[in-house]
Amino acid sequence: MHSKSFISVLVTASLLLGCGSSDSDSPEPITPEVTPPDTSTPPDTTTPPDTTTPPVVTEYDHQVTGLAVFQGALAGANICVDLNLNLACDSNDPATTTDVDGNYQIDWTSETETPEYYLLADWNAVPNSSNPAQAIKLNFKNAIEVQNINRVISPEGQGQLIALPQHNGAINSLTNIQFSRMLEMKELGLAENKITSLMSELSVLLAAVYKQNALNPYQVTAANSLSDDFLAADAFHRYLDEVIAGQVPELLALENILGISYSDLQLMLQESDLTLEEFIALDPLAARIIISNAAIYLGYTDTPIDKRIMGQVDWDIVLDNLQNESGLKHTLSLQSNVDFSSFSLLNKSLDKGLAGFVMNDQVTGFEFSISSDSSNEITTKCWNKEVNTWLEPDEIPEGYVQPTPYADGNRYVQHYSGTTTPINFHFSKYFTADSEWDNVLATTANALTLNQLSWPETLYRLKMEQTEDVICRRADGNNQSFVIPEYSSAEDISTTDIVMTFFSSDYPELTDIDDENNTFTIKDYQGELTASYQWKVITSPNDKDMIEVVKVPLAVGAPAIMESTYYLLENSAEEQLAVEVSFYPTTSEESLNAPLIVTYDEEASEFTDTLYQHLLGLMTTQP
């Protein structure tokens, strides 16, 4: 092709040269134009042209409508569809704001027909100023470390609730709980059928505690979320969450414990006279005991979850110390009043004891011997309200069931012998490494210098509570009896009658009587006052009239031990008698005058003789 072009050029040139004339007429020589060869790639005629149509993108419309509530309707809350599941409302997440009733609607489109997402409700709330319940290391089987708890409202005042698509737009405390449990299960890699089964179990538990519809507990109205039952259930759920702090590895442990303990916690709240918020903030040990008992029942632990709760080892120590024929062994009893204290302690061998007093920063007292001879013991019988008669300790009438002692948390319940009257022994465990024991010692008399001693590592403080009055008398019938001047009713008895009956050797020369105020005094032969008394008529546990005579301080505000004597009024055909009896009035655990009674494990500490010698060395005089 290229050579042909070149030849044609040459032929054309020779023809022009052949038509010549004279030299003078010869034209200018012509230079031929040469076309360069085509070096481009020829088109590929073997590939057909692209005739396909670009793909059409399908977009799906989505809509979520629902209700957001937390202690009422959540008005003005930001609701978003968390499409990337990062638990935050990002700028590209579909979002809206709830109306005044907590209702909302979100519309969006996506290329996914059934997208996976979370629903988040964020709002600004009142900062949570209440301190969470103290999360301490608890004694659960295979316990894990204390976990940080995500509270619904943060201390900074940011509230957040989360729901799942299956909650059909509902966002509330219950959806938040189910979401949290679902997240735990997914992180553990549980199979979907296992997750479904556990979610069904959770729904049943929540419906029972929160008093919701068992078929759909997650649809919570604004009114429901404000009801007393719902608020209490929600508060106790968060309380347990803070106490347990994720330490129980078993799934749904929190809800199972709440299911068993909730009614007892509610009853404790009702009896406490505290508001729900005050009760939660107080975090009473008694509430933890209820939680601990539920955890033991469910098999999450074999021993109390909190070191402050009494376990079997603790009960073995204190009951061995307290249930002793010689008295309270390895136990210090200290009674403190204004400017006056008294104390008692037995030595380690239980053959001696101390009785001391502190007044005006001076310690006085005496040491006494303890006899093991029980031949002089006096058997008593006490009034039993159930059978309406006097019963000796081991006397069991036909059909009568003697109450059995039992332990419940940090309380040991016993009954006065021969009666159905319970005596509650409340124990508090103290640890010398903690500041709480230092606070207890700070309440004792400075003259005893108890803070200078190295106390046992664990101490048990006892407070006794008697819920009913108890009256007892000698079983042999040899009670001291007095003939009282004749009267028609107990109201007719005068102070003069009392003095004539019980202080006949002093009447009338050594007595001064005030009938109007039911008081009288006794003086010696020099005219100096030796004692002052007041008296009144009270009703005994067997519903009879009883006289109480109380020895009071000679001067107002003067320290003294109040002594009371009781006489039961009994009438016979011949005479009217006042029979001396033993009376034990109702006492309260929280009594301001409750003594400090502290016991400990002597075997581990060998502390009794150290304490005994310390107190003995402080006694400068004998009373």
Side-chain angles (χ1 to χ4, degrees), residues 13-33:
S14 65
L15 290 176
L16 292 173
L17 291 174
C19 300
S21 57
S22 63
D23 294 337
S24 58
D25 297 325
S26 298
E28 291 287 330
I30 299 174
T31 302
E33 181 178 2

Side-chain angles (χ1 to χ4, degrees), residues 278-545:
E278 290 170 341
F279 184 90
I280 297 297
L282 182 62
D283 185 18
L285 181 62
R288 293 198 176 216
I289 290 173
I290 291 175
I291 298 169
S292 180
N293 289 344
I296 292 173
Y297 176 80
L298 291 167
Y300 297 141
T301 180
D302 296 324
T303 57
I305 63 173
D306 193 316
K307 69 176 184 178
R308 297 172 299 168
I309 301 175
M310 299 283 287
Q312 189 57 53
V313 173
D314 302 309
W315 286 121
D316 290 342
I317 293 170
V318 299
L319 294 181
D320 180 61
N321 287 352
L322 302 181
Q323 295 178 342
N324 180 65
E325 293 182 357
S326 299
L328 303 180
K329 68 177 183 179
H330 314 311
T331 302
L332 171 66
S333 298
L334 177 62
Q335 178 76 58
S336 297
N337 293 306
V338 179
D339 298 327
F340 179 80
S341 298
S342 61
F343 61 87
S344 63
L345 176 70
L346 303 183
N347 66 0
K348 183 175 182 177
S349 57
L350 303 179
D351 58 358
K352 290 184 179 180
L354 289 178
F357 310 91
V358 181
M359 187 166 53
N360 299 326
D361 290 330
Q362 187 175 19
V363 182
T364 62
F366 56 89
E367 188 177 27
F368 57 90
S369 297
I370 300 174
S371 173
S372 59
D373 183 11
S374 60
S375 59
N376 295 325
E377 289 184 3
I378 298 174
T379 302
T380 62
K381 55 184 179 181
C382 301
W383 183 258
N384 188 297
K385 292 184 177 180
E386 186 173 327
V387 295
N388 290 320
T389 190
W390 302 89
L391 291 184
E392 295 185 30
D394 298 325
E395 188 177 357
I396 304 177
E398 184 178 354
Y400 173 69
V401 179
Q402 198 171 41
T404 303
Y406 63 92
D408 177 21
N410 281 27
R411 179 176 62 121
Y412 184 76
V413 182
Q414 209 173 344
H415 297 78
Y416 261 108
S417 296
T419 79
T420 57
T421 300
I423 307 173
N424 298 316
F425 296 89
H426 298 272
F427 288 90
S428 299
K429 287 178 69 175
Y430 288 89
F431 306 92
T432 50
D434 298 341
S435 60
E436 287 184 345
W437 178 242
D438 294 331
N439 296 336
V440 172
L441 291 179
T443 65
T444 63
N446 293 332
L448 295 177
T449 61
L450 295 178
N451 58 352
Q452 296 181 8
L453 295 170
S454 296
W455 290 82
E457 180 180 344
T458 303
L459 298 148
Y460 308 92
R461 180 175 184 175
L462 165 63
K463 289 184 178 181
M464 290 184 289
E465 176 189 31
Q466 182 183 316
T467 58
E468 297 176 352
D469 295 339
V470 172
I471 184 173
C472 302
R473 63 196 303 172
R474 291 176 61 128
D476 58 13
N478 294 326
N479 301 281
Q480 190 170 12
S481 301
F482 301 84
V483 178
I484 195 167
E486 186 176 347
Y487 60 90
S488 298
S489 68
E491 288 77 12
D492 297 332
I493 298 174
S494 67
T495 304
T496 300
D497 293 335
I498 296 296
V499 176
M500 290 174 59
T501 301
F502 306 119
F503 298 88
S504 57
S505 61
D506 299 313
Y507 179 80
E509 292 85 359
L510 302 179
T511 60
D512 288 323
I513 297 173
D514 183 349
D515 269 314
E516 183 178 352
N517 295 306
N518 286 3
T519 62
F520 60 94
T521 57
I522 307 295
K523 54 191 174 184
D524 59 21
Y525 287 101
Q526 285 72 43
E528 296 291 330
L529 288 179
T530 60
S532 178
Y533 297 89
Q534 60 186 23
W535 72 278
K536 62 182 176 180
V537 176
I538 61 176
T539 302
S540 73
N542 64 348
D543 294 326
K544 290 188 176 182
D545 291 323

